[in-house]
Amino acid sequence: MANRDEWGKDPSVQVMRKVFQAMEHAHQALLKRLDIAPDDQRLRTWREQTLALFERCWGVADQLDVTMDEQTTATIYCTLFAKIVEAAGIVITADIVPPEGNVARLMQAVFP
């Protein structure tokens, strides 16, 4: 049976797949830097909390006219994840996820 990925032909779906792929790669790199195992029991909770904040950020980004491209989206997700992990007691140094430009504006809007 042939693989029929009709959705995959849609340019907007292709863009979103690239965005999610960039987020996944950035997230995996962040976990590695933080020395958090992929099977850590806390990850599910942290990811759920990050997703809630990320959805809020997406709306704010639209209001601030911030383009949610692959790099920006990945940086925002990792910055939010780092904030959640830090709140759980893990030390996050400034160099781990340094928000810059539009990402910094978004963080200020979401975390006044």
Side-chain angles (χ1 to χ4, degrees), residues 2-98:
N3 183 8
R4 295 185 182 177
D5 184 9
E6 294 299 321
W7 286 99
K9 295 178 183 176
D10 184 327
S12 63
V13 171
Q14 291 174 357
V15 168
M16 288 310 297
R17 284 181 176 173
K18 288 180 183 176
V19 166
F20 288 127
Q21 184 178 35
M23 289 170 59
E24 184 177 335
H25 287 298
H27 182 65
Q28 295 305 320
L30 177 60
L31 289 177
K32 191 172 186 173
R33 281 187 78 186
L34 295 174
D35 197 27
I36 297 174
D39 60 350
D40 190 306
Q41 296 293 319
R42 301 169 294 179
L43 281 174
R44 182 182 182 132
T45 301
W46 292 339
R47 287 176 176 151
E48 288 171 353
Q49 293 170 344
T50 302
L51 178 59
L53 288 173
F54 181 78
E55 289 172 346
R56 185 170 159 207
C57 272
W58 196 284
V60 173
D62 188 47
Q63 293 171 358
L64 296 177
D65 201 30
V66 173
T67 302
M68 296 293 278
D69 60 22
E70 295 166 37
Q71 183 60 44
T72 302
T73 305
T75 302
I76 289 168
Y77 184 85
C78 286
T79 301
L80 294 171
F81 183 82
K83 285 186 174 293
I84 296 295
V85 169
E86 187 173 42
I90 294 178
V91 176
I92 303 293
T93 58
D95 66 317
I96 295 220
V97 201

